[in-house]
Amino acid sequence: ELEVALKVVIVGNGGVGKSSMIQRYCKGVFTKDYKKTIGVDFLERQIEVDGEDVRLMLWDTAGQEEFDAITKAYYRGAQACVLAFSTTDRDSFEAAHSWKLKVENECGEIPTVIVQNKIDLLDHSVVNPEEVELLARALGCKLIRTSVKEDLNVASVFRHLASKCLAE
Ligand code: GDP
Ligand code: MG
């Protein structure tokens, strides 16, 4: 039986929790000061979706997103996308649309989930639920609210994407 392998890119402004999400999902850990392992482009995790074995390769950036310097190699061949912003970072929410365009520009239309991370900090939220839902609808993407810290909904992000890819 063939195993399906999917390259997933995770985009969004610096500090929204992208690296933490990959660490959480692939290694089961959350650390306050995660440092990227030098030389590692992605971490992987194998799951079963709709009766199929799927190997997810989650690509991380080394912080180049701050400088708008993500290379084409990062996007090359990506089959799914997580577009992340933070509950406590207004700029990251407002940048979501342009991240979507960037990915579309490099990869075409691929299954994408909009992730509102850090919902453990809802008391300090700088976005309201309605505008977030509007954005998701405008971009035509499923919205999933997560807390990587509390391990809320992280797995469902990747299950949803894998399922979408298998259905295509
Ligand atoms: P990246 O720049 O998008 O890769 O973000 P990082 O993964 O480096 O995370 C930036 C900071 O946010 C780190 O201090 C993380 O510990 C913290 N962080 C990530 N996810 C969460 C979360 O769900 N809740 C809270 N409270 N902090 C988080
Ligand atoms: Mg990072």
Side-chain angles (χ1 to χ4, degrees):
E1 193 184 321
L2 281 178
E3 179 202 56
V4 183
L6 296 175
K7 174 175 177 176
V8 182
V9 288
I10 299 163
V11 300
N13 283 9
V16 301
K18 302 182 299 297
S19 299
S20 300
M21 176 169 284
I22 295 169
Q23 292 283 309
R24 163 66 83 193
Y25 189 63
C26 296
K27 293 187 170 169
V29 297
F30 177 78
T31 48
K32 215 102 219 232
D33 39 20
Y34 160 75
K35 293 276 180 296
K36 186 183 153 67
T37 314
I38 310 289
V40 175
D41 295 322
F42 62 87
L43 290 180
E44 51 182 38
R45 177 167 170 179
Q46 217 144 329
I47 57 170
E48 197 187 299
V49 182
D50 307 331
E52 300 228 36
D53 287 326
V54 180
R55 188 159 57 93
L56 293 163
M57 293 168 288
L58 309 188
W59 283 61
D60 198 7
T61 64
Q64 320 95 305
E65 68 270 23
E66 295 282 17
F67 316 103
D68 202 17
I70 296 180
T71 59
K72 287 202 181 294
Y74 179 74
Y75 294 106
R76 191 171 299 131
Q79 290 143 293
C81 172
V82 175
L83 202 173
F85 69 93
S86 164
T87 300
T88 57
D89 178 349
R90 183 83 205 169
D91 285 347
S92 74
F93 171 70
E94 282 166 5
H97 196 163
S98 73
W99 280 111
K100 175 78 163 60
L101 295 177
K102 226 170 274 185
V103 173
E104 237 176 77
N105 204 37
E106 299 289 341
C107 310
E109 289 271 2
I110 54 176
T112 299
V113 169
I114 297 188
V115 166
Q116 175 178 355
N117 188 37
K118 307 197 188 184
I119 57 164
D120 56 288
L121 300 175
L122 268 185
D123 288 351
H124 307 277
S125 181
V126 293
V127 292
N128 70 59
E130 294 77 24
E131 64 183 346
V132 174
E133 275 147 33
L134 266 176
L135 173 75
R137 218 171 308 150
L139 298 184
C141 301
K142 184 177 176 66
L143 166 68
I144 299 183
R145 295 183 167 99
T146 66
S147 167
V148 170
K149 184 178 181 190
E150 309 289 348
D151 203 8
L152 284 174
N153 296 335
V154 175
S156 52
V157 170
F158 298 102
R159 261 201 315 270
H160 176 81
L161 286 175
S163 185
K164 271 272 206 176
C165 289
L166 289 180
E168 284 195 333

